[in-house]
Amino acid sequence: MRKSLNIGHLSTMYHTSFILMNTDWLEKANIKANWSLFGGGPAIVQAFERGEVDLGYIGLPPVMIGIDRGVPIKCVAGGHVEGTVMIANSEFKSLEECGNNPSLFFEQFKGLTVACPPGGSIHDVIIRNCIKKSGFEGKIPVKNYEWADMIPEAMVDGDIHVAVGTPSLAVATKRFCNAKTVISPDRLWPDNPSYGIIASADMIENFPELVLDFIKIHENGCNFIRENPGNAAQVVAEKVGVVDADFVQEMYEVSPKYFAGISDKYIESTLKFSPILHELGFISQPLEEKDIFDRRFVNQLAL
């Protein structure tokens, strides 16, 4: 039986990929993992389309865009919810400081450019939807960066004053350019599926035991982050090499909802993206639960 996996991952440090890359958990399960780093979820979907990866760590909107395009993939496990945060330089007001009035809040960014990870990423869809709903479409442009790691540098250089991205972006910009969180992850889009484990149809149908074994280990990673964030942060910091454990632990605290299951809320929140993706022109028609999810593995593991 096949025991090797080609896995696409992101530089997003709160994903269990960084735990699994720096422990022997996969090795003990006799799984050889070939890890490939990508700039964003859409790039991993393209790699699935080319047959280059078997599993991927991706936010659900890019997955939905790929499925609509005919890429044979499904979400087989969860990972984390509420992984998009909006940050800005310290002179700007938070949503709370604007009396929780979205129009008043976004008014202060009129004419400025919002930095964001790649087009079609979950962050991109969320911020474009927020801007549109607040009445500022066409007045607040969004600039997509193929590599989200470039955004803090753009803020340090003064090219960008406001951005959306992962909890690690919030910690990095707070440390290096005195930025602050202006909309917390739970306020931007409650329960949004910031990432899940995505598998190719070939893996699901022909190597189900291997997919199941990986999800078990991924679940251990989620539990490790939740139950022992200090030690998990040490493992990740050691793997990344350019941040310390305090950075990683602070990142965990920004948005602490880690789990491998596919809950009804996770599905419900994902499906709310469907009409938005259609409205924004990302997909040709709204998708249903059966198009996106395969719950057989998490059901088997009672997650």
Side-chain angles (χ1 to χ4, degrees):
M1 180 183 172
R2 171 179 170 168
K3 275 292 185 178
S4 65
L5 284 171
N6 298 315
I7 308 172
H9 74 103
L10 306 172
S11 62
T12 314
M13 286 178 278
Y14 64 80
H15 292 182
T16 63
S17 49
F18 284 91
I19 302 286
L20 304 192
M21 281 189 282
N22 205 36
T23 60
D24 61 359
W25 299 355
L26 289 171
E27 187 182 340
K28 282 183 174 177
N30 296 314
I31 297 173
K32 175 176 168 41
N34 306 307
W35 297 93
S36 297
L37 176 65
F38 293 86
I44 300 181
V45 173
Q46 290 166 13
F48 270 114
E49 199 166 14
R50 297 189 297 267
E52 295 172 359
V53 296
D54 305 310
L55 298 176
Y57 284 73
I58 319 176
L60 272 288
V63 174
M64 296 166 74
I65 294 167
I67 289 169
D68 180 70
R69 207 168 63 234
V71 183
I73 51 178
K74 289 278 176 73
C75 177
V76 293
H80 180 261
V81 298
E82 298 176 355
T84 301
V85 59
M86 187 171 184
I87 55 97
N89 289 345
S90 56
E91 66 263 27
F92 295 101
K93 293 180 179 179
S94 68
L95 179 63
E96 286 77 9
E97 289 168 332
C98 292
N100 293 311
N101 183 325
S103 295
L104 190 61
F105 171 76
F106 278 104
E107 175 73 33
Q108 64 186 331
F109 302 112
K110 195 161 76 171
L112 296 177
T113 297
V114 179
C116 181
S121 66
I122 188 167
H123 315 289
D124 181 57
V125 176
I126 286 175
I127 190 58
R128 289 184 189 277
N129 181 58
C130 286
I131 290 171
K132 184 174 183 177
K133 281 173 61 180
S134 301
F136 289 91
E137 188 175 22
K139 299 172 185 174
I140 303 176
V142 175
K143 180 178 180 180
N144 298 110
Y145 286 75
E146 283 308 305
W147 289 87
D149 301 327
M150 298 168 65
I151 296 174
E153 186 178 334
M155 293 194 76
V156 169
D157 291 343
D159 299 330
I160 291 292
H161 305 284
V162 56
V164 292
T166 65
S168 55
L169 172 70
V171 179
T173 53
K174 177 184 172 185
R175 283 196 177 194
F176 303 126
C177 48
N178 199 31
K180 68 178 187 180
T181 295
V182 288
I183 306 183
S184 60
D186 60 312
R187 295 298 303 277
L188 268 170
W189 192 303
D191 295 305
N192 75 77
S194 56
Y195 90 88
I197 301 299
I198 312 306
S200 68
D202 176 63
M203 289 301 301
I204 292 169
E205 298 307 322
N206 298 317
F207 305 97
E209 290 302 320
L210 185 51
V211 175
L212 189 72
D213 287 346
F214 180 85
I215 293 172
K216 286 179 189 173
I217 298 166
H218 165 61
E219 182 200 8
N220 290 341
C222 291
N223 292 341
F224 186 36
I225 292 169
R226 265 200 333 271
E227 296 166 8
N228 203 335
N231 284 353
Q234 290 282 359
V235 171
V236 173
E238 184 181 291
K239 177 62 184 175
V240 175
V242 294
V243 296
D244 55 30
D246 287 343
F247 181 103
V248 181
Q249 191 158 1
E250 186 177 350
M251 175 194 67
Y252 287 152
E253 291 166 0
V254 171
S255 182
K257 299 180 181 179
Y258 305 90
F259 62 97
I262 299 175
S263 68
D264 291 340
K265 276 189 174 181
Y266 187 88
I267 291 174
E268 184 183 333
S269 180
T270 299
L271 293 179
K272 285 179 181 175
F273 279 94
S274 191
I276 304 299
L277 288 168
H278 184 234
E279 191 178 316
L280 292 172
F282 284 112
I283 59 177
S284 61
Q285 59 186 354
L287 299 175
E288 299 176 12
E289 177 183 338
K290 63 181 175 60
D291 301 318
I292 306 163
F293 295 97
D294 189 327
R295 300 175 85 174
R296 75 180 78 171
F297 303 103
V298 295
N299 287 343
Q300 192 171 335
L301 295 169
L303 297 180

